[in-house]
Amino acid sequence: MSADPGDDPHVRLLLGAYVLDALDAEETCRVAGHLQLCDRCARDYVEVAEASALLALLRAEDLGE
Ligand SMILES: [Zn+2]
């Protein structure tokens, strides 16, 4: 393993699909590996995951009415 986040393209654009589990296995693997190496993308991932959870919560509230 010589993974270096400096050489690796950042995965910000894939994070939304990653949170929704909409990537194929190869991309999921790449994003997961990148998140372990890259603090910046890891922080973005937390934000996207929180936004996604919030969205799911709002939808659940809508459905509850
Ligand atoms: Zn990154």
Side-chain angles (χ1 to χ4, degrees):
M1 287 285 283
S2 61
D4 177 356
D7 290 339
D8 206 17
H10 289 287
V11 296
R12 282 191 70 163
L13 297 178
L14 294 175
L15 288 176
Y18 179 73
V19 166
L20 298 174
D21 203 17
L23 297 175
D24 63 33
E26 196 178 316
E27 284 175 321
T28 299
C29 218
R30 185 161 79 79
V31 173
H34 183 88
L35 289 180
Q36 292 188 349
L37 295 169
C38 181
D39 285 345
R40 210 167 85 191
C41 286
R43 268 200 299 274
D44 285 344
Y45 166 71
V46 171
E47 278 179 24
V48 172
E50 277 175 359
S52 167
L54 210 62
L55 214 62
L57 211 64
L58 290 175
R59 281 202 199 109
E61 269 178 21
D62 285 344
L63 289 174
E65 283 185 358

